[in-house]
Amino acid sequence: MKKEVKCGKKPAYVYMLRCEGGSLYTGITTDPERRFAQHVSGGNAAARYTRSHSPLFMAAAFCLPDLKTAAKFEYAIKQLSKEKKEKLVESPDMITALLPHLAEYRPVPLKTELLPGHG
């Protein structure tokens, strides 16, 4: 992933993985490529969920200024309905519309073609 997005000195990312069976997994990281590889490997570094629901690709990712802010977004996304999560994957620019109470943090959606598992 190219580091063209500038969103803080120590940026963090909230990402959504499309897994086998069509489910979505949401997590946070400071390095999306590394974290995706860990999920795909299925080893101890993978999340318990992705060990049993193999990730296919990173469906969406958002750059945030720090881990604390990313944790707020991760929690908020996990509270969304499946329908709203799907809308977010289809249109990542809708993040502030779907989570208006967090709009002040200005999340930056990453371009789909730059996400791990695409291309």
Side-chain angles (χ1 to χ4, degrees):
M1 177 178 305
K2 297 177 183 176
K3 301 291 182 183
E4 68 179 48
V5 175
K6 298 200 185 327
C7 56
K9 290 182 181 181
K10 292 187 175 187
Y13 302 85
V14 175
Y15 61 91
M16 300 174 77
L17 301 177
R18 175 70 66 192
C19 299
E20 286 182 351
S23 65
L24 290 167
Y25 172 83
T26 304
I28 62 174
T29 186
T30 56
D31 184 342
E33 286 183 9
R34 174 190 48 82
R35 191 66 183 125
F36 181 72
Q38 289 173 328
H39 285 300
V40 170
S41 76
N44 288 335
R48 183 181 304 162
Y49 185 84
T50 60
R51 280 185 240 144
S52 60
H53 300 82
S54 299
L56 303 172
F57 57 90
M58 196 170 282
F62 306 91
C63 187
L64 295 144
D66 54 53
L67 280 170
K68 184 177 179 180
T69 305
K72 289 178 184 181
F73 271 88
E74 177 194 29
Y75 178 78
I77 290 171
K78 286 182 174 184
Q79 302 311 304
L80 294 174
S81 67
K82 171 78 168 157
E83 179 183 347
K84 287 184 179 180
K85 288 178 190 176
E86 291 293 347
K87 283 182 184 179
L88 187 55
V89 167
E90 290 172 22
S91 302
D93 291 332
M94 288 185 60
I95 189 161
T96 54
L98 290 170
L99 303 171
H101 63 290
L102 297 174
E104 69 185 273
Y105 296 107
R106 297 188 189 111
V108 178
L110 302 183
K111 294 179 181 177
T112 303
E113 60 270 16
L114 298 178
L115 300 178
H118 288 272

